[in-house]
Amino acid sequence: MKNITVIGSGTMGNGIAHVFAQYGYNVSLVDVSAPALEKAIETIGKNLDRQVAKGGLTEDQKAATLNNIKTFTTLKEGAANADLVVEAATENVTIKLDIFKQLDEIAPAHCILASNTSSISITKIGSVTKRADKVIGMHFMNPVPVMKLVEVINGYKTSKEVTETIVTLSKAIGKIPAEANDYPGFIANRILMPMINEAIWTLHEGVGTVESIDTVMKLGMAHPMGPLQLADFIGLDVCLAILNVLHDGFGNPKYAPCPLLVNMVTAGNLGAKSGEGFYKYTPGSKDLVVSAQFAGR
Ligand code: CAA
């Protein structure tokens, strides 16, 4: 395993490219948008600077990491020599299936095709390829350079050899893999999203304020972020999409998204990325300011 292709240069894609490159792999980062690729390299540079500033990396290691990353705007150029592809494109089933159909034609026969999906079925993704045994989930957590977990998801036809390869590889890049089978939300989001949804219900019903809900979970349960702040960090649209996958997949009303979450997404308050969710975000400031929508309630 030497050549890794990462598809999608957003938050997850650039983090995944960063980590593989840091551990010496040749990374091809693919995105349809050349400006997005430029921005991704800039972000990786800044995140490497944080590691250098903290003494975790040397300037030479930073330069070597950046040197290990090449950028491409087409799958044909970026995936032709891949040993592993990690797809981290938009969390949209039509887009993902189209990418995997193309990858199946372009990537070498031995290449493993992994998806960083947070909730789309790996079995479904595998079914559009002629190599479902080599299709697997490799679900990294945000921020990728910091978070230790890789959730390794076995599709219905994923072979044991491929799972073992991905488990070994995850350890080789300093991560700790945890295996899950392919059911809605896998493990991480099956457990996380109902907690976030319940926090939103708790706010919606007036049981607690934004601050009190997050404070209880941060200080009472030692979570680094409260569930409402975490929802903003993940993106409220992403949380809603995953809850819908759980709700549709299990047909159980306990997964129905809270109407407040639906309203916020409809209104365009998507969390940190849109500048406002449960909190209001100002570029350059780390202060947590509760959104005016929730003042006093
Ligand atoms: N790249 C490199 N290093 C980074 C980084 C990045 N993108 N972001 C943060 N860091 C480093 C910082 O430099 C700092 O390093 P040291 O420990 O060496 O000092 C460390 O991470 C902590 O960062 P900060 O001091 O800036 O801030 P913090 O202490 O508040 O931690 C946090 C930030 C790591 C994000 C922390 O708040 C946290 O762990 N939050 C929860 C994150 C989480 O739950 N992620 C999972 C989300 S769910 C998901 O991703 C999957 C899904 O399917 C929805």
Side-chain angles (χ1 to χ4, degrees):
M1 194 73 74
K2 198 80 202 98
N3 299 324
I4 316 271
T5 296
V6 179
I7 298 172
S9 66
T11 307
M12 297 307 286
N14 76 56
I16 296 166
H18 170 148
V19 172
F20 277 114
Q22 187 186 327
Y23 281 82
Y25 293 90
N26 300 325
V27 175
S28 299
L29 182 58
V30 182
D31 199 297
V32 282
S33 157
L37 285 167
E38 264 177 48
K39 192 164 170 249
I41 296 298
E42 203 183 298
T43 303
I44 295 170
K46 280 190 192 148
N47 286 333
L48 286 165
D49 282 338
R50 301 162 82 134
Q51 290 170 275
V52 172
K54 295 273 161 66
L57 278 186
T58 63
E59 281 290 351
D60 284 355
Q61 286 169 321
K62 175 192 161 185
T65 301
L66 287 171
N67 211 28
N68 284 340
I69 307 175
K70 307 272 175 293
T71 58
F72 300 93
T73 51
T74 66
L75 289 180
K76 235 184 189 128
E77 295 167 290
N81 297 316
D83 299 314
L84 166 70
V85 176
V86 183
E87 170 276 324
T90 313
E91 195 68 359
N92 170 304
V93 72
T94 313
I95 293 173
K96 286 206 196 290
L97 296 185
D98 181 51
I99 289 173
F100 276 80
K101 268 187 218 160
Q102 291 188 53
L103 284 173
D104 197 31
E105 301 294 324
I106 294 164
H110 72 274
C111 179
I112 295 175
L113 304 180
S115 176
N116 177 59
T117 180
S118 50
S119 63
I120 293 170
S121 162
I122 299 301
T123 307
K124 187 169 192 167
I125 294 174
S127 73
V128 300
T129 73
K130 294 182 209 72
R131 57 175 105 184
D133 59 319
K134 294 192 180 67
V135 174
I136 192 162
M138 212 177 171
H139 184 205
F140 290 83
M141 302 292 129
N142 184 22
V144 182
V146 178
M147 303 297 282
K148 283 283 178 197
L149 177 70
V150 177
E151 190 179 22
V152 176
I153 302 118
N154 298 312
Y156 191 78
K157 289 193 173 170
T158 309
S159 75
K160 283 205 160 43
E161 294 71 30
V162 165
T163 305
E164 275 163 27
T165 304
I166 294 302
V167 163
T168 306
L169 178 69
S170 301
K171 291 178 186 165
I173 55 169
K175 301 294 184 199
I176 297 172
E179 278 187 56
N181 289 322
D182 185 24
Y183 291 95
F186 319 131
I187 295 174
N189 284 315
R190 170 93 176 253
I191 298 171
L192 176 63
M193 288 303 156
M195 183 192 72
I196 285 177
N197 201 32
E198 204 57 35
I200 301 171
W201 274 110
T202 309
L203 176 68
H204 187 52
E205 292 174 358
V207 180
T209 61
V210 170
E211 293 105 318
S212 59
I213 292 165
D214 276 356
T215 301
V216 164
M217 297 307 285
K218 268 196 289 193
L219 302 187
M221 283 73 188
H223 291 190
M225 287 175 169
L228 300 174
Q229 188 192 356
L230 182 57
D232 275 359
F233 180 67
I234 292 168
L236 300 189
D237 52 340
V238 176
C239 294
L240 178 60
I242 299 172
L243 279 162
N244 282 331
V245 167
L246 290 167
H247 193 213
D248 295 347
F250 292 115
N252 187 330
K254 78 175 176 179
Y255 298 110
C258 176
L260 173 60
L261 173 64
V262 177
N263 263 355
M264 290 176 78
V265 173
T266 308
N269 280 19
L270 307 180
K273 66 182 164 190
S274 75
E276 190 161 0
F278 296 102
Y279 296 89
K280 194 156 176 52
Y281 299 87
T282 312
S285 166
K286 278 184 118 185
D287 293 343
L288 262 188
V289 179
V290 174
S291 159
Q293 293 286 342
F294 299 109
R297 65 172 176 120

